Amino acid sequence: MMKLLEPPQHQKTQHVALGTAGWGLSREQQERFGPGDSVLQRYATRFNAAEINSSFYRPHRPATYARWAASVQQGFRFSVKVPKAVTHTARLRECAAPLAEFVEQVSHLGEKLGPLLVQLPPSLSFERDVVEDFFSLLHGMTLARTVCEPRHASWFTPEVDALLRDLNVSRVAADPAKVPAAAHPGGSLSMVYYRWHGSPKMYSSSYLDSQLARLAAQVQANSGDVWVIFDNTAVGAAVENGLILRNLLSSAQSERQTSCQPDPK
């Protein structure tokens, strides 16, 4: 499990949740993780977060969420993707029933529940009344934080950014970005959520070390809660990229910790 070093007293504590979409590990990759009775348990020996994407396609029983929560250590968090019945079929309208069902199911993650991810279809343009009604409805059902990944250009304006801040919704920093602004965090910055899908080939391409180094610098520049999820899982690149970023962040923290120690006399 990635551990963060204690920061100097004058610095604000930063928590980095790092992982992949799902927790699949190849047989070769499993050998680089600690022991466990399941793949999830082994995954959790090196990563402290995972994004549950399967909830987008089908519901899971409360007992399944409870089992996943019991499988991981204290401090591990799951983000969970809101079902497509809400985001793509209903398009955020008149979706109280399926949304309430989803919220009840994920509540069985207990303290392991992180943010809820609302990924929108590329064709869904911004409509202020719809957005306000939806996120107000969602926040009335749960205390979980919310992150949104819009993919229509109309969402990337100062006015929309201000509304998302008012609604306490964080906008995903995505790669590849549909428009330049989509590469950067937006909305509420109380939590920053990087979601990297693989580039140039989405879901498959591995990132270069130089790209991961730039991402590490961006993560370190943020204070508070930061999530980094690699979604380039098709051929295992997400795990490799996540492990490299984990090492970069740990090394940077060690260097900061050392630099803050008084010089011996």
Side-chain angles (χ1 to χ4, degrees):
M1 178 185 70
M2 179 181 68
K3 285 190 174 181
L4 300 179
L5 299 175
E6 289 296 325
Q9 291 300 310
H10 65 277
Q11 291 185 3
K12 183 178 179 181
T13 300
Q14 182 192 55
H15 178 264
V16 179
L18 171 60
T20 65
W23 46 84
L25 301 173
S26 68
R27 182 171 299 179
E28 293 76 14
Q29 289 172 336
Q30 288 187 40
E31 295 176 357
R32 300 166 60 186
F33 288 72
D37 294 331
S38 66
V39 175
L40 175 56
Q41 288 182 336
R42 300 195 73 168
Y43 169 96
T45 65
R46 300 293 299 276
F47 293 125
N48 64 355
E51 184 182 274
I52 299 173
N53 277 184
S54 53
S55 55
F56 178 75
Y57 301 100
R58 63 185 185 278
H60 296 301
R61 294 180 302 158
T64 299
Y65 283 113
R67 185 180 73 251
W68 289 338
S71 298
V72 296
Q73 71 277 4
Q74 190 72 23
F76 191 100
R77 294 291 183 271
F78 296 93
S79 60
V80 193
K81 194 172 181 180
V82 172
K84 66 177 181 179
V86 171
T87 56
H88 288 54
T89 302
R91 300 172 72 85
L92 307 185
R93 300 172 181 267
E94 299 180 1
C95 54
L99 188 61
E101 181 181 3
F102 166 73
V103 167
E104 196 283 327
Q105 291 163 358
V106 301
S107 70
H108 291 266
L109 287 169
E111 63 181 9
K112 308 292 175 61
L113 175 61
L116 304 181
L117 169 65
V118 181
Q119 186 193 52
L120 301 177
S123 62
L124 186 58
S125 60
F126 174 78
E127 294 183 62
R128 186 182 186 94
D129 290 346
V130 173
V131 172
E132 287 183 322
D133 289 348
F134 173 78
F135 285 112
S136 296
L137 174 67
L138 179 56
H139 291 163
M141 294 179 177
T142 177
L143 296 177
R145 289 179 171 181
T146 306
V147 295
C148 182
E149 185 179 11
R151 292 181 287 174
H152 189 279
S154 62
W155 285 76
F156 300 95
T157 69
E159 294 75 19
V160 176
D161 214 45
L163 176 62
L164 293 178
R165 284 196 301 272
D166 290 343
L167 294 170
N168 197 26
V169 175
S170 300
R171 195 190 74 231
V172 165
D175 185 89
K178 295 293 185 181
V179 299
H184 305 285
S188 172
L189 297 181
S190 61
M191 181 176 62
V192 172
Y193 199 104
Y194 292 94
R195 196 163 190 255
W196 280 28
H197 302 282
S199 180
K201 187 175 181 180
M202 287 186 68
Y203 312 123
S204 297
S205 293
S206 182
Y207 289 100
L208 301 174
D209 288 351
S210 58
Q211 294 172 299
L212 297 172
R214 288 194 294 272
L215 177 57
Q218 293 172 29
V219 170
Q220 294 166 57
N222 286 288
S223 60
D225 291 345
V226 182
W227 278 68
V228 182
I229 295 295
F230 289 99
D231 189 32
N232 49 340
T233 57
V235 292
V239 170
E240 304 302 327
N241 291 166
L243 291 175
I244 292 172
L245 182 63
R246 177 185 183 274
N247 290 337
L248 289 171
L249 294 174
S250 295
S251 296
Q253 288 177 325
S254 296
E255 292 175 4
R256 287 200 301 270
Q257 183 76 0
T258 301
S259 67
C260 291
Q261 297 298 323
D263 293 333
K265 300 297 183 182

